[in-house]
Amino acid sequence: MSSIGYTIKQERLNQQIKQSVLAKGICSTSYLSKIENNSTVPSEEVITSLLKRLNLEIEKLPSEEEKKFIEAFYEEYKKAIMQRDKKWIREILEKYSIGNSYFLQLENFYTYNLYMFRLMLILNEKTEVLQSVFDVIIKSENDFDEKQRFLGNLNVGLYYYLNGDYYKALNRLESSVKFVNNVSNEEWEIADFHNVLSLIYFKCNQFFNTINHASKSLGYYKDNLLFERAIDSYIVMGVAHKKMRRYEEAEKNYNLAKKLVIDYKVVHYEGMIYQNIGSLYAVQANQEKAIEYYKLSLKSKEENDNAEGYLISILSIIKEYSKQNNHVEVLSWCKKGFEVIENLENKFSIENRSYYCHLDIYRACYSSTDDLEVVLKRGIDYFKLIHDDRHVQKYSILLANYYFKESKFKAANLYYQQAIQMLYKQNFITNWEDL
């Protein structure tokens, strides 16, 4: 069976045409639904009439070309996942867009969409761009073979991960563990799977599993001289050890990552390494050392034109000065942060708007103005909107403390309750007995 039904459905949705309108005079609405779900094989006459009404000229991808097309795409797909060069990935997506063609073999259509979806996820495409491919994968997965099911669970899990649905992501990835060695996966695919699984375990606070799976991917990356991916694995393991308060092990992993950065001149990772070492000193209450490394991170990021990373370091420095209750330095660094955001081309992106909220809250905390309550409420509402539960919890506690000091006990209670709810959510707990 071919992929023509899915192609017709996608074009109909793109043109915002109802099924009844497209089907009128050609076939019944129920029959069109079967065509679009690929549960029937329509005649050439029906296909031609539907395409004509959609004003869509479309060609079959010749059968003999399909296999070569998928094989060539696979090689590019492999390189894209291992190297993560977003500019090049964008070119690959354009190169392998089938345009006004469709697959005669449905299994090739499934594989094609799985490859496309993963590359779109790396580029962090907009939700509406991802949605149509996501829908095809979800509706088709009962017809997948084992390899496609493996890829499907990996990709859908990543989709949930990027949207903050970590428990759903973990369910997807864990359901593919049985396929890892049972299907024709190459070593790089197995390493990639363990790498993704380690990231999801980390978000679910399962740090032993994080380290276990990150170390499995690390072995392949080191053996195949994929230094950037190896650095990623060392950092993930370092952060997991830090969360477990195994500070010496954390530092050991950060230093191994740092050695790769120096030996192989992967300079754009230098700022990230210093940032993580700084955070290690921060959790050990060594604020001076933390600030020292954050400033080294800042210097490296400035030299490598890493504006987003620059804001991470500025906010980290502000936090350390806040712990020291140093009003002057907090406000000075807030000012620098605002200046950086103002000069960004994409200053209204979700990420940069988040930094603006953080900076605004610290500014309000340490200035003589009376807008802290308003700023905190605005920040909490924004972090709710983008499903950033950690900062909803953090700033809810801050606002509750503010209300408590002002003897507004009812308002304080509401925000303490909200902070507790976020704690439950982050730890996948529904009852207090499970704490």
Side-chain angles (χ1 to χ4, degrees):
M1 187 177 288
S2 77
S3 64
I4 186 63
Y6 290 119
T7 304
I8 288 171
K9 180 178 182 178
Q10 186 57 58
E11 186 61 27
R12 178 180 64 77
L13 293 173
N14 289 343
Q15 296 186 31
Q16 298 182 329
I17 298 173
K18 292 182 178 179
Q19 281 187 327
S20 57
V21 174
L22 179 57
K24 188 175 181 180
I26 299 174
C27 62
S28 68
T29 304
S30 60
Y31 188 67
L32 175 59
S33 181
K34 289 180 180 180
I35 293 171
E36 291 187 343
N37 290 322
N38 263 59
S39 58
T40 190
V41 181
S43 67
E44 286 293 329
E45 181 182 357
V46 170
I47 291 174
T48 301
S49 298
L50 292 171
L51 293 176
K52 185 177 180 180
R53 183 159 291 171
L54 289 167
N55 195 26
L56 182 64
E57 292 185 7
I58 196 164
E59 297 177 353
K60 300 174 184 176
L61 197 65
S63 295
E64 62 274 12
E65 294 296 321
E66 280 191 22
K67 186 177 180 182
K68 293 179 182 177
F69 178 88
I70 293 295
E71 287 174 351
F73 192 10
Y74 173 80
E75 293 303 319
E76 303 276 25
Y77 166 78
K78 171 183 176 180
K79 184 178 176 182
I81 291 174
M82 291 295 102
Q83 296 187 1
R84 312 285 172 83
D85 183 333
K86 291 189 176 182
K87 182 179 178 182
W88 184 74
I89 291 172
R90 177 71 63 191
E91 293 174 1
I92 292 303
L93 284 174
E94 292 173 2
K95 177 180 176 181
Y96 284 91
S97 174
I98 58 174
N100 294 336
S101 299
Y102 68 93
F103 290 94
L104 289 172
Q105 301 298 320
L106 200 52
E107 59 268 28
N108 289 331
F109 173 75
Y110 294 151
T111 299
Y112 169 80
N113 276 284
L114 289 165
Y115 291 169
M116 291 291 282
F117 192 58
R118 178 65 185 280
L119 300 187
M120 290 177 181
L121 289 171
I122 293 174
L123 294 180
N124 199 20
E125 296 280 38
K126 294 179 180 178
T127 302
E128 55 267 28
V129 176
L130 292 168
Q131 193 64 49
S132 60
V133 185
F134 176 80
D135 289 343
V136 168
I137 291 171
I138 293 298
K139 290 177 181 178
S140 309
E141 57 186 350
N142 287 336
D143 298 322
F144 286 172
D145 60 28
E146 282 195 351
K147 179 61 179 282
Q148 290 166 339
R149 200 167 293 129
F150 171 81
L151 290 173
N153 285 329
L154 177 62
N155 289 350
V156 172
L158 263 174
Y159 176 80
Y160 289 140
Y161 168 81
L162 293 172
N163 283 282
D165 293 326
Y166 303 127
Y167 191 68
K168 288 171 74 174
L170 185 59
N171 277 340
R172 279 287 182 163
L173 268 290
E174 286 187 332
S175 67
S176 264
V177 170
K178 61 186 175 184
F179 296 124
V180 173
N181 297 312
N182 291 348
V183 297
S184 56
N185 286 319
E186 294 187 17
E187 283 187 82
W188 75 268
E189 292 175 292
I190 296 172
D192 177 58
F193 175 82
H194 288 300
N195 176 56
V196 173
L197 189 51
S198 73
L199 298 176
I200 296 172
Y201 273 129
F202 180 81
K203 287 294 186 179
C204 293
N205 300 321
Q206 296 189 33
F207 302 123
F208 281 112
N209 282 333
T210 298
I211 294 165
N212 179 36
H213 288 277
S215 64
K216 289 179 180 179
S217 60
L218 174 64
Y220 175 84
Y221 296 147
K222 285 172 62 180
D223 290 346
N224 289 272
L225 309 182
L226 293 163
F227 302 121
E228 293 190 17
R229 301 288 74 77
I231 292 167
D232 288 337
S233 295
Y234 276 130
I235 290 173
V236 169
M237 292 165 67
V239 177
H241 280 298
K242 183 185 74 173
K243 290 286 187 180
M244 296 163 65
R245 301 181 184 275
R246 297 166 63 173
Y247 300 131
E248 288 186 10
E249 285 298 316
E251 188 171 9
K252 177 182 174 183
N253 278 278
Y254 292 151
N255 284 330
L256 287 168
K258 184 180 175 183
K259 186 175 188 305
L260 287 179
V261 168
I262 294 169
D263 289 350
Y264 298 99
K265 297 179 173 58
V266 194
V267 292
H268 57 281
Y269 270 88
E270 186 179 58
M272 188 186 299
I273 302 298
Y274 286 135
Q275 177 71 28
N276 278 284
I277 294 174
S279 73
L280 188 57
Y281 282 112
V283 296
Q284 296 177 83
N286 190 338
Q287 280 118 34
E288 295 304 324
K289 268 291 190 184
I291 291 169
E292 177 188 332
Y293 274 96
Y294 288 146
K295 287 182 177 178
L296 285 172
S297 176
L298 205 59
K299 183 174 183 292
S300 174
K301 290 166 182 175
E302 191 171 25
E303 290 171 353
N304 290 290
D305 196 26
N306 183 350
E308 182 184 324
Y310 200 79
L311 286 168
I312 292 172
S313 295
I314 286 177
L315 183 59
S316 299
I317 291 169
I318 289 169
K319 289 177 182 177
E320 296 312 301
Y321 281 126
S322 177
K323 292 174 187 176
Q324 298 174 354
N325 203 28
N326 189 327
H327 290 64
V328 174
E329 290 291 350
V330 167
L331 292 174
S332 173
W333 283 95
C334 282
K335 183 180 177 182
K336 290 178 184 179
F338 286 129
E339 288 171 355
V340 171
I341 292 173
E342 191 58 35
N343 291 321
L344 291 173
E345 289 183 12
N346 60 339
K347 60 184 175 184
F348 298 114
S349 70
I350 290 175
E351 193 71 26
N352 292 327
R353 285 177 67 190
S354 296
Y355 283 117
Y356 185 91
C357 286
H358 293 308
L359 294 171
D360 205 24
I361 288 169
Y362 279 98
R363 176 204 59 75
C365 280
Y366 286 92
S367 62
S368 56
T369 58
D370 296 323
D371 62 345
L372 178 59
E373 178 183 357
V374 173
V375 170
L376 277 169
K377 282 185 174 180
R378 186 167 61 223
I380 290 167
D381 287 343
Y382 180 71
F383 290 119
K384 277 184 182 177
L385 183 67
I386 63 171
H387 308 293
D388 186 344
D389 298 333
R390 183 168 72 91
H391 286 106
V392 171
Q393 180 192 20
K394 178 177 179 175
Y395 294 130
S396 291
I397 292 171
L398 187 58
L399 182 54
N401 289 343
Y402 167 82
Y403 281 135
F404 189 83
K405 288 177 183 177
E406 296 291 316
S407 298
K408 297 179 180 179
F409 302 120
K410 186 175 180 180
N413 179 58
L414 288 173
Y415 280 94
Y416 282 134
Q417 286 291 326
Q418 181 166 261
I420 291 169
Q421 288 170 7
M422 291 300 106
L423 174 66
Y424 281 13
K425 187 175 179 182
Q426 288 177 73
N427 290 280
F428 312 109
I429 292 171
T430 54
N431 301 297
W432 65 266
E433 292 91 346
D434 296 321
L435 282 169

